[in-house]
Structures are given as structure tokens and as C-alpha cells.
Short mmCIF file of all heavy atoms in Angstrom, two decimals:
data_model
loop_
_atom_site.label_atom_id
_atom_site.label_comp_id
_atom_site.label_asym_id
_atom_site.label_seq_id
_atom_site.Cartn_x
_atom_site.Cartn_y
_atom_site.Cartn_z
N MET A 696 6.54 -26.56 37.57
CA MET A 696 5.86 -25.28 37.79
C MET A 696 5.14 -25.28 39.14
O MET A 696 4.45 -26.20 39.50
CB MET A 696 4.80 -25.05 36.70
CG MET A 696 5.37 -24.66 35.35
SD MET A 696 6.16 -23.06 35.36
CE MET A 696 4.75 -21.97 35.24
N ASN A 697 5.31 -24.23 39.89
CA ASN A 697 4.46 -24.08 41.07
C ASN A 697 3.49 -22.95 40.80
O ASN A 697 3.74 -22.04 40.03
CB ASN A 697 5.29 -23.85 42.34
CG ASN A 697 6.04 -22.54 42.33
OD1 ASN A 697 5.47 -21.49 42.03
ND2 ASN A 697 7.30 -22.58 42.64
N ASN A 698 2.37 -23.04 41.44
CA ASN A 698 1.33 -22.04 41.22
C ASN A 698 1.08 -21.23 42.46
O ASN A 698 -0.04 -20.89 42.79
CB ASN A 698 0.04 -22.72 40.74
CG ASN A 698 0.12 -23.06 39.28
OD1 ASN A 698 0.63 -22.29 38.48
ND2 ASN A 698 -0.37 -24.23 38.92
N GLN A 699 2.12 -20.94 43.18
CA GLN A 699 1.93 -20.23 44.43
C GLN A 699 1.71 -18.73 44.22
O GLN A 699 1.33 -18.03 45.14
CB GLN A 699 3.13 -20.45 45.34
CG GLN A 699 3.20 -21.91 45.82
CD GLN A 699 4.43 -22.19 46.64
OE1 GLN A 699 5.44 -21.53 46.46
NE2 GLN A 699 4.35 -23.16 47.52
N GLY A 700 1.97 -18.26 43.04
CA GLY A 700 1.69 -16.86 42.74
C GLY A 700 2.82 -15.93 43.10
O GLY A 700 2.99 -14.90 42.46
N LYS A 701 3.61 -16.28 44.07
CA LYS A 701 4.71 -15.40 44.49
C LYS A 701 6.02 -15.95 43.93
O LYS A 701 6.41 -17.07 44.21
CB LYS A 701 4.75 -15.35 46.02
CG LYS A 701 5.82 -14.43 46.55
CD LYS A 701 5.27 -13.01 46.76
CE LYS A 701 6.35 -12.10 47.32
NZ LYS A 701 6.95 -11.25 46.31
N VAL A 702 6.67 -15.12 43.13
CA VAL A 702 7.92 -15.54 42.52
C VAL A 702 9.07 -15.13 43.43
O VAL A 702 9.14 -13.98 43.85
CB VAL A 702 8.10 -14.87 41.15
CG1 VAL A 702 9.30 -15.46 40.43
CG2 VAL A 702 6.87 -15.02 40.31
N ASP A 703 9.93 -16.04 43.78
CA ASP A 703 11.07 -15.65 44.60
C ASP A 703 12.39 -16.14 44.01
O ASP A 703 13.42 -16.06 44.65
CB ASP A 703 10.91 -16.12 46.04
CG ASP A 703 10.84 -17.64 46.15
OD1 ASP A 703 10.86 -18.30 45.11
OD2 ASP A 703 10.79 -18.13 47.28
N GLU A 704 12.31 -16.63 42.78
CA GLU A 704 13.53 -17.15 42.17
C GLU A 704 13.48 -16.88 40.67
O GLU A 704 12.44 -17.04 40.04
CB GLU A 704 13.59 -18.66 42.44
CG GLU A 704 14.90 -19.29 42.03
CD GLU A 704 14.90 -20.77 42.37
OE1 GLU A 704 14.86 -21.10 43.57
OE2 GLU A 704 14.89 -21.58 41.44
N CYS A 705 14.60 -16.46 40.10
CA CYS A 705 14.65 -16.19 38.67
C CYS A 705 14.59 -17.51 37.90
O CYS A 705 15.39 -18.40 38.14
CB CYS A 705 15.95 -15.45 38.35
SG CYS A 705 16.19 -15.21 36.58
N PRO A 706 13.63 -17.65 36.98
CA PRO A 706 13.52 -18.90 36.22
C PRO A 706 14.65 -19.08 35.22
O PRO A 706 14.86 -20.18 34.70
CB PRO A 706 12.16 -18.77 35.50
CG PRO A 706 11.90 -17.32 35.45
CD PRO A 706 12.59 -16.69 36.64
N LYS A 707 15.38 -18.03 34.96
CA LYS A 707 16.43 -18.08 33.96
C LYS A 707 17.78 -18.47 34.57
O LYS A 707 18.45 -19.39 34.11
CB LYS A 707 16.55 -16.72 33.28
CG LYS A 707 17.06 -16.76 31.87
CD LYS A 707 16.88 -15.38 31.25
CE LYS A 707 17.80 -15.16 30.08
NZ LYS A 707 17.24 -15.73 28.84
N CYS A 708 18.17 -17.81 35.64
CA CYS A 708 19.49 -18.08 36.22
C CYS A 708 19.40 -18.66 37.63
O CYS A 708 20.42 -19.05 38.20
CB CYS A 708 20.36 -16.82 36.20
SG CYS A 708 19.87 -15.59 37.44
N GLY A 709 18.19 -18.70 38.21
CA GLY A 709 18.02 -19.31 39.52
C GLY A 709 18.38 -18.40 40.68
O GLY A 709 18.31 -18.82 41.83
N SER A 710 18.74 -17.15 40.40
CA SER A 710 19.09 -16.22 41.47
C SER A 710 17.85 -15.85 42.29
O SER A 710 16.74 -15.77 41.77
CB SER A 710 19.71 -14.96 40.88
OG SER A 710 19.81 -13.96 41.86
N ARG A 711 18.08 -15.62 43.57
CA ARG A 711 16.97 -15.18 44.42
C ARG A 711 17.07 -13.69 44.72
O ARG A 711 16.33 -13.17 45.56
CB ARG A 711 16.96 -15.97 45.73
CG ARG A 711 16.48 -17.39 45.53
CD ARG A 711 16.60 -18.20 46.80
NE ARG A 711 15.98 -19.51 46.60
CZ ARG A 711 14.70 -19.76 46.83
NH1 ARG A 711 13.91 -18.81 47.27
NH2 ARG A 711 14.19 -20.95 46.62
N GLU A 712 17.99 -13.03 44.06
CA GLU A 712 18.14 -11.60 44.29
C GLU A 712 17.27 -10.82 43.32
O GLU A 712 17.71 -10.37 42.27
CB GLU A 712 19.61 -11.21 44.13
CG GLU A 712 20.46 -11.73 45.27
CD GLU A 712 21.94 -11.53 45.03
OE1 GLU A 712 22.31 -10.52 44.42
OE2 GLU A 712 22.71 -12.42 45.42
N LEU A 713 16.00 -10.70 43.68
CA LEU A 713 15.05 -10.04 42.82
C LEU A 713 14.79 -8.63 43.31
O LEU A 713 14.75 -8.39 44.50
CB LEU A 713 13.74 -10.83 42.77
CG LEU A 713 13.87 -12.30 42.41
CD1 LEU A 713 12.50 -12.95 42.36
CD2 LEU A 713 14.61 -12.50 41.10
N GLY A 714 14.63 -7.74 42.36
CA GLY A 714 14.33 -6.36 42.70
C GLY A 714 13.02 -5.93 42.08
O GLY A 714 12.43 -6.64 41.26
N GLN A 715 12.55 -4.76 42.47
CA GLN A 715 11.32 -4.22 41.92
C GLN A 715 11.64 -2.97 41.13
O GLN A 715 12.46 -2.14 41.55
CB GLN A 715 10.36 -3.86 43.06
CG GLN A 715 9.85 -5.05 43.81
CD GLN A 715 8.45 -5.42 43.37
OE1 GLN A 715 7.52 -4.67 43.53
NE2 GLN A 715 8.31 -6.57 42.77
N GLY A 716 11.01 -2.85 39.99
CA GLY A 716 11.19 -1.66 39.19
C GLY A 716 9.84 -1.18 38.72
O GLY A 716 8.84 -1.88 38.84
N ARG A 717 9.81 0.02 38.18
CA ARG A 717 8.53 0.49 37.66
C ARG A 717 8.72 1.48 36.53
O ARG A 717 9.74 2.17 36.44
CB ARG A 717 7.66 1.08 38.75
CG ARG A 717 8.16 2.42 39.26
CD ARG A 717 7.24 2.95 40.33
NE ARG A 717 7.62 4.32 40.67
CZ ARG A 717 6.73 5.30 40.84
NH1 ARG A 717 5.46 5.09 40.68
NH2 ARG A 717 7.14 6.51 41.13
N HIS A 718 7.71 1.50 35.68
CA HIS A 718 7.60 2.52 34.65
C HIS A 718 6.55 3.50 35.11
O HIS A 718 5.46 3.11 35.50
CB HIS A 718 7.12 1.89 33.33
CG HIS A 718 8.21 1.40 32.46
ND1 HIS A 718 7.95 0.77 31.26
CD2 HIS A 718 9.54 1.44 32.58
CE1 HIS A 718 9.10 0.45 30.70
NE2 HIS A 718 10.08 0.83 31.48
N SER A 719 6.87 4.76 35.07
CA SER A 719 5.84 5.74 35.41
C SER A 719 6.02 6.96 34.53
O SER A 719 6.95 7.04 33.75
CB SER A 719 5.94 6.11 36.90
OG SER A 719 7.20 6.68 37.15
N GLY A 720 5.13 7.91 34.67
CA GLY A 720 5.21 9.13 33.87
C GLY A 720 5.03 8.85 32.39
O GLY A 720 4.09 8.18 32.00
N TYR A 721 5.97 9.30 31.57
CA TYR A 721 5.81 9.18 30.13
C TYR A 721 5.93 7.76 29.63
O TYR A 721 5.51 7.45 28.54
CB TYR A 721 6.85 10.05 29.41
CG TYR A 721 6.55 11.51 29.54
CD1 TYR A 721 7.45 12.37 30.15
CD2 TYR A 721 5.34 12.02 29.07
CE1 TYR A 721 7.18 13.71 30.29
CE2 TYR A 721 5.05 13.37 29.21
CZ TYR A 721 5.97 14.22 29.81
OH TYR A 721 5.68 15.53 29.95
N SER A 722 6.52 6.90 30.40
CA SER A 722 6.63 5.52 29.93
C SER A 722 5.57 4.62 30.55
O SER A 722 5.67 3.41 30.49
CB SER A 722 8.03 4.97 30.20
OG SER A 722 8.49 5.38 31.46
N ALA A 723 4.55 5.23 31.13
CA ALA A 723 3.45 4.42 31.66
C ALA A 723 2.70 3.76 30.51
O ALA A 723 2.75 4.19 29.37
CB ALA A 723 2.50 5.30 32.46
N MET A 724 2.01 2.69 30.82
CA MET A 724 1.20 1.97 29.84
C MET A 724 -0.13 2.69 29.68
O MET A 724 -0.79 3.04 30.65
CB MET A 724 0.96 0.55 30.36
CG MET A 724 0.13 -0.30 29.44
SD MET A 724 1.10 -0.91 28.05
CE MET A 724 1.91 -2.30 28.81
N THR A 725 -0.50 2.96 28.41
CA THR A 725 -1.76 3.65 28.14
C THR A 725 -2.64 2.75 27.30
O THR A 725 -2.15 2.14 26.35
CB THR A 725 -1.50 4.96 27.38
OG1 THR A 725 -0.46 5.68 28.03
CG2 THR A 725 -2.73 5.83 27.34
N PRO A 726 -3.92 2.66 27.60
CA PRO A 726 -4.80 1.82 26.79
C PRO A 726 -4.93 2.38 25.38
O PRO A 726 -4.91 3.60 25.19
CB PRO A 726 -6.15 1.88 27.52
CG PRO A 726 -5.96 2.71 28.72
CD PRO A 726 -4.61 3.32 28.70
N VAL A 727 -5.07 1.49 24.38
CA VAL A 727 -5.26 1.94 23.01
C VAL A 727 -6.57 2.72 22.94
O VAL A 727 -7.61 2.23 23.37
CB VAL A 727 -5.31 0.73 22.04
CG1 VAL A 727 -5.66 1.18 20.63
CG2 VAL A 727 -3.98 0.01 22.07
N GLY A 728 -6.51 3.93 22.44
CA GLY A 728 -7.70 4.75 22.34
C GLY A 728 -8.04 5.45 23.65
O GLY A 728 -9.01 6.18 23.73
N GLY A 729 -7.26 5.25 24.66
CA GLY A 729 -7.55 5.86 25.95
C GLY A 729 -6.55 6.95 26.26
O GLY A 729 -5.57 7.15 25.55
N ILE A 730 -6.80 7.65 27.31
CA ILE A 730 -5.92 8.75 27.70
C ILE A 730 -5.21 8.42 29.01
O ILE A 730 -4.00 8.53 29.13
CB ILE A 730 -6.73 10.06 27.86
CG1 ILE A 730 -7.39 10.42 26.53
CG2 ILE A 730 -5.81 11.19 28.32
CD1 ILE A 730 -8.50 11.44 26.67
N LEU A 731 -5.99 8.00 29.98
CA LEU A 731 -5.41 7.71 31.29
C LEU A 731 -4.74 6.35 31.28
O LEU A 731 -5.35 5.34 30.93
CB LEU A 731 -6.51 7.73 32.36
CG LEU A 731 -7.00 9.11 32.76
CD1 LEU A 731 -8.19 8.96 33.69
CD2 LEU A 731 -5.90 9.90 33.42
N GLY A 732 -3.50 6.34 31.64
CA GLY A 732 -2.77 5.09 31.67
C GLY A 732 -2.52 4.61 33.08
O GLY A 732 -3.17 5.04 34.02
N SER A 733 -1.57 3.74 33.19
CA SER A 733 -1.25 3.17 34.49
C SER A 733 0.24 2.95 34.58
O SER A 733 0.90 2.68 33.57
CB SER A 733 -1.99 1.84 34.64
OG SER A 733 -1.58 1.20 35.82
N ASN A 734 0.77 3.07 35.77
CA ASN A 734 2.17 2.71 35.96
C ASN A 734 2.33 1.19 35.80
O ASN A 734 1.38 0.44 35.97
CB ASN A 734 2.63 3.10 37.36
CG ASN A 734 2.70 4.61 37.52
OD1 ASN A 734 2.72 5.35 36.54
ND2 ASN A 734 2.74 5.06 38.75
N ILE A 735 3.52 0.78 35.50
CA ILE A 735 3.81 -0.65 35.38
C ILE A 735 4.83 -1.04 36.45
O ILE A 735 5.83 -0.35 36.63
CB ILE A 735 4.40 -0.99 34.00
CG1 ILE A 735 3.60 -0.31 32.89
CG2 ILE A 735 4.44 -2.50 33.80
CD1 ILE A 735 4.28 -0.38 31.55
N MET A 736 4.55 -2.08 37.15
CA MET A 736 5.48 -2.60 38.14
C MET A 736 6.14 -3.86 37.58
O MET A 736 5.49 -4.67 36.93
CB MET A 736 4.74 -2.98 39.43
CG MET A 736 4.20 -1.80 40.21
SD MET A 736 5.47 -0.71 40.87
CE MET A 736 6.30 -1.85 41.99
N TYR A 737 7.41 -4.01 37.88
CA TYR A 737 8.14 -5.18 37.40
C TYR A 737 8.86 -5.86 38.54
O TYR A 737 9.33 -5.20 39.47
CB TYR A 737 9.21 -4.76 36.38
CG TYR A 737 8.68 -4.27 35.06
CD1 TYR A 737 8.79 -2.94 34.71
CD2 TYR A 737 8.10 -5.16 34.17
CE1 TYR A 737 8.33 -2.49 33.49
CE2 TYR A 737 7.63 -4.72 32.95
CZ TYR A 737 7.75 -3.38 32.61
OH TYR A 737 7.28 -2.95 31.41
N THR A 738 8.95 -7.15 38.43
CA THR A 738 9.87 -7.90 39.28
C THR A 738 11.03 -8.32 38.39
O THR A 738 10.83 -8.99 37.37
CB THR A 738 9.19 -9.14 39.90
OG1 THR A 738 8.06 -8.70 40.64
CG2 THR A 738 10.15 -9.88 40.82
N ILE A 739 12.22 -7.89 38.75
CA ILE A 739 13.38 -8.04 37.89
C ILE A 739 14.48 -8.80 38.64
O ILE A 739 14.73 -8.55 39.82
CB ILE A 739 13.91 -6.66 37.47
CG1 ILE A 739 12.86 -5.92 36.64
CG2 ILE A 739 15.22 -6.77 36.70
CD1 ILE A 739 13.07 -4.45 36.55
N CYS A 740 15.14 -9.71 37.94
CA CYS A 740 16.29 -10.38 38.51
C CYS A 740 17.46 -9.40 38.51
O CYS A 740 17.84 -8.89 37.46
CB CYS A 740 16.63 -11.62 37.68
SG CYS A 740 18.16 -12.39 38.20
N SER A 741 18.01 -9.15 39.70
CA SER A 741 19.09 -8.17 39.77
C SER A 741 20.43 -8.79 39.40
O SER A 741 21.46 -8.13 39.44
CB SER A 741 19.16 -7.55 41.16
OG SER A 741 19.39 -8.54 42.13
N LYS A 742 20.42 -10.04 39.01
CA LYS A 742 21.66 -10.68 38.59
C LYS A 742 21.78 -10.70 37.06
O LYS A 742 22.76 -10.23 36.51
CB LYS A 742 21.73 -12.10 39.15
CG LYS A 742 23.10 -12.69 39.10
CD LYS A 742 23.11 -14.05 39.78
CE LYS A 742 24.48 -14.70 39.64
NZ LYS A 742 24.43 -16.11 40.06
N CYS A 743 20.75 -11.22 36.38
CA CYS A 743 20.85 -11.34 34.92
C CYS A 743 19.97 -10.33 34.20
O CYS A 743 20.06 -10.19 32.99
CB CYS A 743 20.53 -12.76 34.47
SG CYS A 743 18.78 -13.18 34.57
N GLY A 744 19.10 -9.64 34.92
CA GLY A 744 18.28 -8.61 34.29
C GLY A 744 16.98 -9.11 33.72
O GLY A 744 16.21 -8.35 33.14
N TYR A 745 16.70 -10.37 33.88
CA TYR A 745 15.47 -10.95 33.33
C TYR A 745 14.24 -10.35 34.03
O TYR A 745 14.22 -10.20 35.26
CB TYR A 745 15.51 -12.46 33.54
CG TYR A 745 14.35 -13.21 32.95
CD1 TYR A 745 14.24 -13.34 31.56
CD2 TYR A 745 13.38 -13.79 33.76
CE1 TYR A 745 13.19 -14.03 31.01
CE2 TYR A 745 12.32 -14.49 33.22
CZ TYR A 745 12.23 -14.62 31.84
OH TYR A 745 11.18 -15.30 31.30
N ILE A 746 13.24 -9.98 33.24
CA ILE A 746 11.99 -9.48 33.81
C ILE A 746 11.08 -10.67 34.07
O ILE A 746 10.63 -11.34 33.14
CB ILE A 746 11.31 -8.46 32.88
CG1 ILE A 746 12.22 -7.25 32.67
CG2 ILE A 746 9.97 -8.02 33.46
CD1 ILE A 746 11.68 -6.26 31.65
N ILE A 747 10.84 -10.94 35.33
CA ILE A 747 10.09 -12.12 35.71
C ILE A 747 8.60 -11.88 35.58
O ILE A 747 7.86 -12.72 35.10
CB ILE A 747 10.47 -12.55 37.14
CG1 ILE A 747 11.91 -13.05 37.11
CG2 ILE A 747 9.55 -13.65 37.66
CD1 ILE A 747 12.68 -12.75 38.35
N GLU A 748 8.16 -10.73 36.01
CA GLU A 748 6.76 -10.41 35.81
C GLU A 748 6.58 -8.91 35.74
O GLU A 748 7.39 -8.14 36.26
CB GLU A 748 5.87 -11.00 36.91
CG GLU A 748 6.20 -10.51 38.30
CD GLU A 748 5.25 -11.07 39.35
OE1 GLU A 748 4.35 -11.83 38.99
OE2 GLU A 748 5.42 -10.73 40.52
N GLY A 749 5.53 -8.52 35.05
CA GLY A 749 5.21 -7.12 34.95
C GLY A 749 3.70 -6.96 34.98
O GLY A 749 2.99 -7.79 34.44
N TYR A 750 3.24 -5.93 35.66
CA TYR A 750 1.79 -5.73 35.70
C TYR A 750 1.50 -4.26 35.86
O TYR A 750 2.32 -3.50 36.39
CB TYR A 750 1.15 -6.55 36.83
CG TYR A 750 1.73 -6.30 38.20
CD1 TYR A 750 1.20 -5.33 39.04
CD2 TYR A 750 2.83 -7.03 38.63
CE1 TYR A 750 1.75 -5.11 40.28
CE2 TYR A 750 3.38 -6.81 39.87
CZ TYR A 750 2.84 -5.85 40.70
OH TYR A 750 3.39 -5.62 41.93
N VAL A 751 0.33 -3.86 35.39
CA VAL A 751 -0.08 -2.48 35.56
C VAL A 751 -0.74 -2.31 36.92
O VAL A 751 -1.35 -3.24 37.45
CB VAL A 751 -1.05 -2.02 34.44
CG1 VAL A 751 -0.36 -2.03 33.09
CG2 VAL A 751 -2.30 -2.85 34.41
N THR A 752 -0.57 -1.12 37.50
CA THR A 752 -1.11 -0.91 38.83
C THR A 752 -2.58 -0.51 38.80
O THR A 752 -3.22 -0.44 39.82
CB THR A 752 -0.32 0.19 39.57
OG1 THR A 752 -0.32 1.38 38.76
CG2 THR A 752 1.13 -0.24 39.79
N ASN A 753 -3.09 -0.26 37.61
CA ASN A 753 -4.47 0.17 37.49
C ASN A 753 -5.18 -0.59 36.37
O ASN A 753 -5.58 0.00 35.36
CB ASN A 753 -4.50 1.68 37.19
CG ASN A 753 -5.50 2.40 38.05
OD1 ASN A 753 -6.57 1.86 38.36
ND2 ASN A 753 -5.18 3.62 38.45
N PRO A 754 -5.37 -1.88 36.49
CA PRO A 754 -5.86 -2.71 35.39
C PRO A 754 -7.25 -2.33 34.90
O PRO A 754 -7.59 -2.58 33.74
CB PRO A 754 -5.86 -4.14 35.96
CG PRO A 754 -5.82 -3.98 37.43
CD PRO A 754 -5.09 -2.68 37.69
N LYS A 755 -8.06 -1.70 35.74
CA LYS A 755 -9.42 -1.36 35.33
C LYS A 755 -9.46 -0.40 34.16
O LYS A 755 -10.42 -0.33 33.41
CB LYS A 755 -10.19 -0.77 36.51
CG LYS A 755 -10.60 -1.83 37.49
CD LYS A 755 -11.31 -1.24 38.69
CE LYS A 755 -11.63 -2.38 39.67
NZ LYS A 755 -11.87 -1.87 41.01
N ARG A 756 -8.38 0.36 34.00
CA ARG A 756 -8.34 1.31 32.89
C ARG A 756 -8.19 0.63 31.54
O ARG A 756 -8.31 1.27 30.50
CB ARG A 756 -7.18 2.29 33.10
CG ARG A 756 -7.51 3.27 34.20
CD ARG A 756 -6.42 4.26 34.42
NE ARG A 756 -6.81 5.19 35.48
CZ ARG A 756 -5.98 6.00 36.09
NH1 ARG A 756 -4.72 6.03 35.75
NH2 ARG A 756 -6.39 6.80 37.04
N PHE A 757 -7.92 -0.66 31.55
CA PHE A 757 -7.73 -1.39 30.30
C PHE A 757 -8.94 -2.25 29.94
O PHE A 757 -8.91 -2.99 28.98
CB PHE A 757 -6.46 -2.26 30.40
CG PHE A 757 -5.22 -1.40 30.55
CD1 PHE A 757 -4.83 -0.98 31.81
CD2 PHE A 757 -4.50 -1.00 29.44
CE1 PHE A 757 -3.71 -0.16 31.96
CE2 PHE A 757 -3.40 -0.19 29.59
CZ PHE A 757 -3.00 0.23 30.84
N LYS A 758 -9.95 -2.11 30.72
CA LYS A 758 -11.17 -2.85 30.45
C LYS A 758 -11.82 -2.31 29.18
O LYS A 758 -11.87 -1.10 28.97
CB LYS A 758 -12.13 -2.65 31.63
CG LYS A 758 -12.94 -3.85 31.97
CD LYS A 758 -13.72 -3.57 33.24
CE LYS A 758 -14.80 -4.61 33.43
NZ LYS A 758 -15.58 -4.39 34.63
N LYS A 759 -12.33 -3.23 28.35
CA LYS A 759 -12.98 -2.78 27.13
C LYS A 759 -14.32 -2.15 27.44
O LYS A 759 -15.05 -2.60 28.31
CB LYS A 759 -13.19 -3.98 26.20
CG LYS A 759 -11.96 -4.31 25.40
CD LYS A 759 -12.29 -5.35 24.33
CE LYS A 759 -11.07 -5.62 23.48
NZ LYS A 759 -11.31 -6.72 22.55
N ARG A 760 -14.58 -1.08 26.69
CA ARG A 760 -15.86 -0.43 26.92
C ARG A 760 -16.95 -1.03 26.08
O ARG A 760 -16.71 -1.55 25.04
CB ARG A 760 -15.74 1.05 26.59
CG ARG A 760 -15.14 1.82 27.75
CD ARG A 760 -14.87 3.25 27.36
NE ARG A 760 -13.44 3.47 27.23
CZ ARG A 760 -12.90 4.69 27.09
NH1 ARG A 760 -13.65 5.73 27.02
NH2 ARG A 760 -11.61 4.82 27.00
ZN1 ZN B 272 18.30 -14.13 36.67
#
């Protein structure tokens, strides 16, 4: 494991052809009990389709009140 934070290789198939995808609009992530959600960004292997990482673009909206 490396802890460099930046993924540049698919852990499943070893491909370096990674793409970026996102969920927005109706498929955005919404906090439980909340209204305002956040888009989700993904790093996806464009060879095998494995989702390497996913994160919301607005994490503060998921903070517990
Ligand atoms: Zn892959």
C-alpha cells in the first residue's frame, strides 16, 4: 500500500487508464434528514469499470448537527 493519496493505477486490473465520472442532479448524494445534497465525483478505471474512489464535492453538508 502506498499512502500518497493520488491514485494512478487500478488496484483490480492494474490499468493506468483512469477516468473521472460524477453523479449530479437527481442522483446526487443527499444527507439523511437533509435537503441539500452534493454531487459525487468518481475515479473510475476505464478498462474494467472498477470504481477506485468516490467522494462528495460538498462534505460539509453531511456534518452532523
Ligand atoms: Zn481496472
Side-chain angles (χ1 to χ4, degrees):
M696 285 293 280
N697 66 49
N698 281 320
Q699 292 176 333
K701 182 91 179 101
V702 188
D703 63 356
E704 189 178 294
C705 175
K707 208 170 158 83
C708 74
S710 168
R711 287 175 173 272
E712 289 171 35
L713 307 182
Q715 292 259 297
R717 71 180 189 136
H718 271 178
S719 61
Y721 289 120
S722 40
M724 180 78 81
T725 312
V727 174
I730 300 163
L731 284 173
S733 174
N734 291 343
I735 314 169
M736 291 295 297
Y737 291 110
T738 302
I739 297 162
C740 173
S741 60
K742 196 175 176 191
C743 73
Y745 184 72
I746 298 175
I747 291 146
E748 61 177 359
Y750 55 92
V751 295
T752 55
N753 226 324
K755 284 178 183 160
R756 287 181 179 166
F757 296 86
K758 216 173 166 180
K759 277 189 177 174
R760 278 173 252 190

